[in-house]
Amino acid sequence: MTRTGQERAILVGVDLKARARKLPSDIPQFSPEESLDELKSLAESAGAVVEEIVIQARTALDAATLIGSGKLDELKDLIRFHEADTVLFDSELTPTQQRNLERSLDSKVLDRTQLILDIFASRARTREGQLQVELAQLNYMLPRLTGRGVQMSRLGGGIGTRGPGETQLETDRRRIYGRIKKLSDELEGVRSGRTTQRRQRQSVPLATIALVGYTNAGKSTLFNRLTGAEVLTDARMFATLDPTVRHILLPSHRKVLLSDTVGFIRNLPTTLVKAFRATLEEVTEASLLLHVVDVSSPHASQQTAHVFKVLAEIGAENTPEILVMNKADLLSEGLHDEHGLAQRILGETKIRGNSSAIAVSARSGKGFDELLALIDKNLALDPVSHAVFRLPTAEGSLLHILHERAKVLSTRYTDDSCEVEAEVPESVRKRLEPFLIEASPSATSE
Ligand SMILES: Nc1nc2c(ncn2[C@@H]2O[C@H](COP(=O)(O)OP(=O)(O)OP(=O)(O)O)[C@@H](O)[C@H]2O)c(=O)[nH]1
Ligand SMILES: [Mg+2]
């Protein structure tokens, strides 16, 4: 531990020489250095201080210890030298590898997935979020359990021990299974409550737009600026874990729901991604996705490719999407060449036919008017058209609906009625059908 109580960590990555050739070439990949760079951000997001980064070139992974005995001795010296508390491996460790490494290094050993789960555990705020993280941790931990209980309690708290308490670790498998069963049941209960809420939400015909993107892309900053909410934004990764939903009014006066969701990251086991069902439902049920990319990141194109991959895995690959190229304020070339920027980010990734791109800055608000107009243009649901209504003056509430949910162009009063010319979403038009005196085709997609 450092004087400020932070854990000291050593990061270990393996550069598998043979690997690159086997991977499909159309998906931009992270180099081992870039990958460790990301692991460093994750470690720091979990509150650790990174003392040293070790990359080992190998032709094959060692089944027993991943890195082989020579490197293991070197690592022991480094642990002693830095007084390190934790060794973080960039690759996924098998339960055997993890046990062997912990024994021979006499130190806490975690892989990337466990590190991410630990960050999730410290960020979850809602009951559902906490339940699903604990469940994911227990499932990941179960095969790695033997002999670890003693060691974990000796090492005390810190990364990898948050979430399910130490006591669970010291109990036998049967009790863990029991806990998993109990958590699953409770989670089911929480979820059926949410489904009811969702149905209630859907009885009002509002379209949902979901913000998706790699962690730290600026989704929550954009969300706050668009909705006036105050969701936590942070330079650390995975600031958002639980989805938040607010409504916004588009320039066409259509009211829609916007939802902020958990960030994606590469190499997260799909089972884990699926554990975040609340987020996934927001994404798969959305009418439009705002795919937020941090264009200032040197890894923007790899991150974008990864987000496309996850969207395909969860069955949202055909949802219309706008590529929101965020943090444009940090670009030296400024906002002049949006098309070039989109090409650079999409790189060799297949440019989806239904996507359009726009550069914005969630920090300064630049590009927001254009973004809102683009959302209006891309949102097929509840199209807006021009119409004239004659409302009895006694029906004040109908006039109120028009002012709230449509764009009123003119209002003319006669003795007992009021003629309103407006651009109205279809849902509102249907509701006021009896009072319609003139209508023309959709004006949204001009
Ligand atoms: N310069 C600049 N920084 C930005 C912009 N948008 C967001 N940021 C910063 O980027 C960091 C991440 O922003 P968030 O909004 O928390 O990102 P997120 O995508 O919600 O991240 P997670 O919830 O962790 O997945 C914060 O430090 C923001 O202040 C932008 O347009 N320009
Ligand atoms: Mg966020």
Side-chain angles (χ1 to χ4, degrees), residues 308-427:
F308 280 134
K309 187 166 156 264
V310 179
L311 289 177
E313 273 166 19
I314 63 175
E317 71 269 42
N318 293 321
T319 309
E321 166 185 297
I322 298 174
L323 189 71
V324 183
M325 302 180 287
N326 189 35
K327 308 199 192 180
D329 55 297
L330 298 176
L331 289 180
S332 50
E333 70 255 42
L335 282 180
H336 305 305
D337 182 15
E338 285 195 15
H339 186 71
L341 193 58
Q343 293 245 284
R344 172 159 77 73
I345 287 162
L346 293 169
E348 290 175 32
T349 326
K350 204 166 42 174
I351 299 181
R352 292 165 55 176
N354 54 3
S355 70
S356 42
I358 183 162
V360 304
S361 164
R363 181 162 287 176
S364 74
K366 201 167 161 94
F368 270 53
D369 289 346
E370 293 85 345
L371 173 62
L372 285 167
L374 202 58
I375 294 175
D376 245 341
K377 198 168 151 223
N378 280 269
L379 202 64
L381 218 76
D382 212 8
V384 174
S385 63
H386 185 269
V388 182
F389 301 95
R390 184 175 295 134
L391 308 171
T393 16
E395 303 265 10
S397 62
L398 298 178
L399 189 61
H400 181 74
I401 291 178
L402 279 177
H403 277 287
E404 178 139 275
R405 299 277 309 272
K407 193 179 200 165
V408 174
L409 302 172
S410 71
T411 319
R412 210 161 49 83
Y413 287 92
T414 59
D415 289 345
D416 56 354
S417 70
C418 160
E419 258 182 48
V420 187
E421 183 188 358
E423 278 169 11
V424 282
E426 197 169 85
S427 58

Side-chain angles (χ1 to χ4, degrees), residues 123 213-224 231-241 260-264 292 294 296 326-330 360-365:
R123 304 275 200 273
Y214 213 74
T215 179
N216 221 32
K219 298 175 294 298
S220 299
T221 311
L222 195 74
F223 179 80
N224 287 346
V231 166
L232 172 75
T233 65
D234 202 308
R236 290 175 306 169
M237 299 167 108
F238 297 112
T240 308
L241 201 65
D260 185 21
T261 63
V262 63
F264 295 163
V292 185
D294 173 359
S296 72
N326 189 35
K327 308 199 192 180
D329 55 297
L330 298 176
V360 304
S361 164
R363 181 162 287 176
S364 74

